[in-house]
Amino acid sequence: MKRKVCVEGSRTDVQVPFSEIGLSGGEPSLRLYDTSGPGSDPEVGLAALRQSWIWERGDVESVPAQGSANAGRTVLRAKAGRTVTQLGYARAGVVTPEMEFAAIREGLEPEIVRGEIAAGRAILPNNINHPESEPMLIGERFLVKINANIGTSAVSSSIAEEVDKLTWACKWGADTVMDLSAGKHIHQTREGIVRNSPVPIGTVPLYQALEKVDGDPQQLSWEVYRDTVIEQAEQGVDYMTVHAGVLLRHVPLAADRVTGIVSRGGSIMAAWSLARHEENFLYTRFRALCEIFAAYDIAFSLGDGLRPGSIADANDAAQFAELRTQGELTKIAWEYDVQVMNEGPGHVPMHKIKENVDKQKEWCANAPFYTLGPLTTDIAPAYDHITSAIGAAMIAMFGTAMLCYVTPKEHLGLPNRDDVKAGVIAYKIAAHAADLAKGHPGAQAWDDALSKARFDFRWEDQFGLALDPDTARSYHDETLPASPAKTAHFCSMCGPKFCSMKISHELKDLTAEGMRRKSWSSSKPAPKCTCLSTDLGQAATSRQRGALV
Amino acid sequence: MKRKVCVEGSRTDVQVPFSEIGLSGGEPSLRLYDTSGPGSDPEVGLAALRQSWIWERGDVESVPAQGSANAGRTVLRAKAGRTVTQLGYARAGVVTPEMEFAAIREGLEPEIVRGEIAAGRAILPNNINHPESEPMLIGERFLVKINANIGTSAVSSSIAEEVDKLTWACKWGADTVMDLSAGKHIHQTREGIVRNSPVPIGTVPLYQALEKVDGDPQQLSWEVYRDTVIEQAEQGVDYMTVHAGVLLRHVPLAADRVTGIVSRGGSIMAAWSLARHEENFLYTRFRALCEIFAAYDIAFSLGDGLRPGSIADANDAAQFAELRTQGELTKIAWEYDVQVMNEGPGHVPMHKIKENVDKQKEWCANAPFYTLGPLTTDIAPAYDHITSAIGAAMIAMFGTAMLCYVTPKEHLGLPNRDDVKAGVIAYKIAAHAADLAKGHPGAQAWDDALSKARFDFRWEDQFGLALDPDTARSYHDETLPASPAKTAHFCSMCGPKFCSMKISHELKDLTAEGMRRKSWSSSKPAPKCTCLSTDLGQAATSRQRGALV
């Protein structure tokens, strides 16, 4: 049924994994993009897939870690004066093994990948200290990606649980994972996650920085923040959300909102700026940050700290003021060859979704857009994976490159394992629906394979091709558990007599029969129409059969 | 918290029910559209709400039932030469109590309702033999409605279960319910459903007609079908799906599809027509059907027997050929003052959704559109409530008046109680998201009330306003079950230190503080900024506070 296969690139150490779904009935097997990784023992972590590619370029060195939490550890860093980002390589005309790997995953030519990265329209997040991750692309031209947020909060969860959620999220299709841990053991939790993650890991360094100053935004400083970024850079975080677009002058724009500032990072920086009447240090020190990011190939995920948290606040002045600043910062990052994407909303009614993408493309010069949903209504807490899957599918159709999932627990509590799966599945649906709408080459092959299996009553193939085979099978078996039902030409929804697909098969035979007869000379005897006499009943007379078209 | 209230119309017997959600914190209560009905004892059924309105017009008479299954029963029927449809009244300039009731539900003037019905742009389905139902509207100008399908299949379910599903579906917001029962006891199941339903009931009479001929399509005849329609008309079915648009010449257009004909009714009629080489009797006898429908005020739901059953088959020649015929039939029905809506797909990728609405409006002269989803991808059996909620929200935004729900069991089995709820909730989300996008007056008040409660940490109000209060509460309580958590200014998702809404409140105070101080003369002493020193920490010095804006 399902097995992992690898496609080799131009060199033997480029081995790109796919899921291959074997089918019955003489159908060719189907290869699907695979995020699950090679599997790891959490105590040991994953193998360093990209290590040799990183070293062979000769632009990194092994140095003692600077971050105090990494004391005694040796980490990679760009040699002085060297830029080790995929954007830098792409601009220099180099197709890296990382790019080739990602191109094979997408079924595209490596040169297309290089071109999209060089133009800033796509990113390939992969910190040189996270050699375990499998290269992937975030960009409008590629398959729509999804991110799953995990992480401990101050009141819930443990490290082992979070590593388990990581593996679980990747199994179901998460393309990247953000570790949003707060509370105790942030460093150790992240260590467990990065070492076991086959996908790029994102963080919001501000959360840990705030923990370091005991949760008091007033004690935050550039120095504490910078040290936190370096600590995380050395661990291997691949992209970081930086709320550098929340400027002092933007904050009053959010004062009269129904839900104020709903981004944690945004509200923390607004509190810092406002109380001190100083400009956001993430903005004033942005070039220093770029230098750090360039040394490890960390990508910016420019945070939208003023994103709307309710339908009422969508597309307002605060949100768009920040988006303009995100555009300004995008271009600065590119000066340093640092990869960038832009975060977007939030809560947006359907008719206001397209404007978000249009403005982001214009103001941020087509850098990849990475949105949280958006939720298309506020009325359904406990179902925000659905309220937001609607918005996510639409915004991705318009050009958003990556969708940050929302789980059923949004607004209510920390997602558990089941919630993570529910969020990932809802977002894989949204992303794939957008791939279809965008006409991504090959996207529809999956739908066609499943629909063909459905029409042929190949139940096992239908389950195997389903986004979630386990649940599809269990739902089917709830009413028809017996093994013969797996080959039956109906299910319990309509029962045997009313199965349109069964009747439709008989129709197909009938139509073909009519066509065939038409093309024969009239002297030949009409063949017996077996399907009519057996399945559709005995009523048709010979005369009627003769008249069949 | 939640209670039922009634708004009286221009006469005392027009009592329109709403759910009123009482809120705390001095907030005004919110009234919501209510589909749950007055509640009934299944053994007794509901009271005959509309009985006096029906009689007082003097155009109906009580006659012995014709349908053999209704033997001995007295039913209502239009007097000879009289038309008893809401379309007839609307065209005659009469605002019926039914129209006024429905107008109050929608928060609109009754004359607007009359005008929309008269123009054929809306229907008010209410068979004179189903006086228990509460009048409602299906039309683009009104709130988007949702239908829930229930019904026994040949292999599963019982009458009591189906009546329970009906009540359950209405509790969660189903605006109409279709009884798609097949197998044994169809008549009795429908009797239980109609007598207990506060919402209009739809059926596909062909299913029962087929049972009457032992499931053999060849044995079907206009006579068997007509008698079935009359039997159901006398029981009180409010709208009927009629697959009259599946013409003989359309069938070959579907022969090469990936999934053929996926409508049960469509495949049955195609089989009948093709095998006999006779035109679909639903088409050839359509005017006779109109006469029956007019005598009871049954609305047509013109079936889309050739709707696509896979992404590959969307918007194809077969589908659109039938849609043109639906348009032709719509105008014929209007000749008889019979109300009509048109059924639509099915499986459609996002970028092809709008074309469906545009063509339906043009070809069917703006009659209400009633679509099944559409599912925006085929790859997620067990999650088709989500794949289709995406398409449903979009198609409703473009103008579809009613959405037929899809449950997680779609393609896999008969939905149980949990599936019915999951389907209804997903579709209430889609419908409401569309109401917002269409700017339906009053729709956003619900979102705003919930978001305001969220921002104010009024947890009980948040649960009370949620589409599904039970699940929202249980998700919250999973991690923070204690009673104090219901007033806490955070949840387990972010914990107390990271709650952006909490910080945002403090910011609001800070901003207001800054503004106030700015407008004061500099001689006045600066007031102590309590929020800064308590909540945002002790770090800010007096100098910093003084600089606050």
Side-chain angles (χ1 to χ4, degrees), chain A residues 1 10 68 81 94 101 116 140 195 244 258 303 316 325 413 458 536:
Chain A
M1 296 287 302
S10 64
S68 55
V94 177
F101 186 104
E116 291 297 301
E140 183 178 0
R195 296 286 75 82
V258 167
D316 72 355
T325 306
R458 286 182 275 115
L536 286 180

Side-chain angles (χ1 to χ4, degrees), chain B residues 68-342:
Chain B
S68 56
N70 298 320
R73 189 165 164 175
T74 302
V75 298
L76 295 192
R77 202 187 141 86
K79 286 181 180 164
R82 302 295 292 269
T83 298
V84 298
T85 68
Q86 296 292 319
L87 176 53
Y89 303 136
R91 283 173 164 177
V94 177
V95 173
T96 61
E98 288 89 339
M99 294 177 203
E100 189 194 5
F101 186 104
I104 294 171
R105 289 185 103 168
E106 299 273 348
L108 292 169
E109 288 304 310
E111 181 52 30
I112 292 175
V113 169
R114 191 202 61 76
E116 291 297 300
I117 294 174
R121 286 191 298 264
I123 65 170
L124 193 163
N126 64 160
N127 185 324
I128 54 175
N129 287 307
H130 182 205
E132 299 92 342
S133 80
E134 296 173 344
M136 53 77 72
L137 293 157
I138 302 170
E140 183 178 358
R141 180 140 182 197
F142 307 114
L143 289 164
V144 175
K145 304 304 187 299
I146 69 164
N147 171 70
N149 290 336
I150 61 171
T152 54
S153 85
V155 296
S156 180
S157 197
S158 72
I159 299 176
E161 265 180 72
E162 295 311 309
V163 174
D164 178 60
K165 279 185 204 166
L166 160 81
T167 309
W168 184 241
C170 294
K171 168 182 160 67
W172 292 111
D175 293 288
T176 77
V177 166
M178 289 193 79
D179 171 16
L180 303 184
S181 291
K184 289 174 186 165
H185 313 304
I186 294 187
H187 183 90
Q188 297 86 328
T189 304
R190 190 170 52 240
E191 187 64 25
I193 289 174
V194 174
R195 296 285 76 80
N196 287 285
S197 178
V199 303
I201 295 297
T203 61
V204 186
L206 195 59
Y207 297 172
Q208 189 183 7
L210 190 67
E211 292 288 348
K212 290 183 179 176
V213 294
D214 297 323
D216 175 1
Q218 296 312 309
Q219 301 289 353
L220 277 174
S221 66
W222 160 246
E223 290 70 25
V224 169
Y225 184 84
R226 181 197 57 205
D227 292 348
T228 306
V229 166
I230 291 172
E231 172 189 335
Q232 299 195 9
E234 291 175 344
Q235 277 187 299
V237 170
D238 300 286
Y239 65 89
M240 298 184 187
T241 297
V242 179
H243 296 91
V246 181
L247 302 190
L248 196 51
R249 67 172 184 272
H250 298 159
V251 180
L253 298 174
D256 291 328
R257 281 176 157 185
V258 168
T259 45
I261 301 179
V262 297
S263 146
R264 286 189 259 170
S267 61
I268 293 164
M269 289 318 301
W272 186 90
S273 288
L274 203 57
R276 303 165 77 103
H277 198 60
E278 275 180 38
E279 191 52 277
N280 181 344
F281 63 75
L282 299 173
Y283 180 81
T284 56
R285 305 290 188 137
F286 191 72
R287 287 180 182 270
L289 265 183
C290 289
E291 285 172 6
I292 300 170
F293 278 38
Y296 302 91
D297 200 2
I298 300 164
F300 276 108
S301 186
L302 292 174
D304 56 336
L306 301 177
R307 68 170 175 268
S310 56
I311 291 298
D313 296 342
N315 295 22
D316 72 354
Q319 182 195 337
F320 285 144
E322 184 184 18
L323 185 59
R324 277 191 189 273
T325 306
Q326 287 175 260
E328 177 195 330
L329 296 166
T330 296
K331 289 158 204 165
I332 293 173
W334 285 342
E335 288 178 31
Y336 294 81
D337 282 343
V338 172
Q339 306 190 84
V340 194
M341 59 183 169
N342 288 278

Side-chain angles (χ1 to χ4, degrees), chain B residues 516-537:
Chain B
R516 197 156 58 240
R517 199 153 339 146
K518 248 186 165 172
S519 65
W520 285 351
S521 80
S522 56
S523 63
K524 285 191 183 168
K528 184 168 158 53
C529 178
T530 53
C531 96
L532 233 190
S533 57
T534 55
D535 286 320
L536 286 180

Side-chain angles (χ1 to χ4, degrees), chain A residues 153 155-156 182 207 210-211 214-219 252 255 257-264 267-268 270-271 274-275 277 310-312 347 350-351 376-383 385-387 389-390 393-394 397 408-414 416 421 425-426 429-430 432-434 436-437 444 446-448 450-452 454-455 459 463 465-468 471-472 475-476 478-479 491-494 496-498 500-501 503-504 507-508 510-511 515 532 536-539 544 547-549, chain B residues 153 155-156 182 207 210-211 214-219 252 255 257-264 267-268 270-271 274-275 277 310-312 347 350-351 376-383 385-387 389-390 393-394 397 408-414 416 421 425-426 429-430 432-434 436-437 444 446-448 450-452 454-455 459 463 465-468 471-472 475-476 478-479 491-494 496-498 500-501 503-504 507-508 510-511 515 532 536-539 544 547-549:
Chain A
S153 85
V155 296
S156 180
Y207 298 172
L210 190 67
E211 292 287 349
D214 298 324
D216 176 2
Q218 297 311 311
Q219 301 290 353
R257 280 177 159 185
V258 167
T259 45
I261 301 178
V262 296
S263 147
R264 289 188 257 170
S267 61
I268 292 163
L274 203 57
H277 198 61
S310 56
I311 291 298
H347 292 235
M350 283 192 286
H351 64 300
T376 52
T377 170
D378 306 338
I379 65 165
Y383 297 87
H385 59 312
I386 299 179
T387 65
I390 294 168
M394 288 179 72
M397 173 175 70
K409 287 277 170 61
E410 184 76 16
H411 301 118
L412 296 169
L414 199 69
N416 62 24
K421 178 175 170 183
I425 297 279
I429 289 169
H432 184 74
L436 285 177
Q444 200 182 310
W446 191 356
D447 298 75
D448 292 352
L450 195 142
S451 287
K452 216 156 173 288
R454 183 171 282 154
F455 193 62
W459 287 99
F463 303 147
L465 287 162
L467 200 47
D468 176 0
T471 307
Y475 282 4
H476 174 271
E478 233 174 73
T479 36
C491 73
S492 73
M493 190 166 178
C494 306
K497 275 194 291 197
F498 283 94
S500 61
M501 294 216 176
I503 301 172
S504 201
L507 275 176
K508 211 165 175 169
L510 271 175
T511 314
M515 298 294 178
L532 234 191
L536 286 180
Q538 307 292 345
Q544 282 165 338
L548 201 71
V549 180
Chain B
S153 85
V155 296
S156 180
Y207 297 172
L210 190 67
E211 292 288 348
D214 297 323
D216 175 1
Q218 296 312 309
Q219 301 289 353
R257 281 176 157 185
V258 168
T259 45
I261 301 179
V262 297
S263 146
R264 286 189 259 170
S267 61
I268 293 164
L274 203 57
H277 198 60
S310 56
I311 291 298
H347 291 235
M350 283 192 286
H351 63 300
T376 53
T377 169
D378 306 338
I379 66 166
Y383 297 87
H385 59 313
I386 300 179
T387 65
I390 294 167
M394 288 179 71
M397 172 174 72
K409 287 278 170 62
E410 184 74 14
H411 301 118
L412 297 168
L414 200 69
N416 62 24
K421 179 176 169 184
I425 296 280
I429 288 169
H432 184 74
L436 286 176
Q444 201 182 309
W446 189 357
D447 298 74
D448 292 352
L450 196 143
S451 287
K452 216 157 176 283
R454 183 172 281 155
F455 193 63
W459 287 99
F463 302 147
L465 287 162
L467 200 48
D468 176 0
T471 308
Y475 281 4
H476 174 271
E478 234 174 72
T479 36
C491 73
S492 72
M493 189 165 177
C494 306
K497 275 195 290 199
F498 282 94
S500 60
M501 293 215 177
I503 301 173
S504 201
L507 274 176
K508 208 164 176 170
L510 272 175
T511 313
M515 297 295 177
L532 233 190
L536 286 180
Q538 307 292 343
Q544 282 164 336
L548 200 71
V549 179

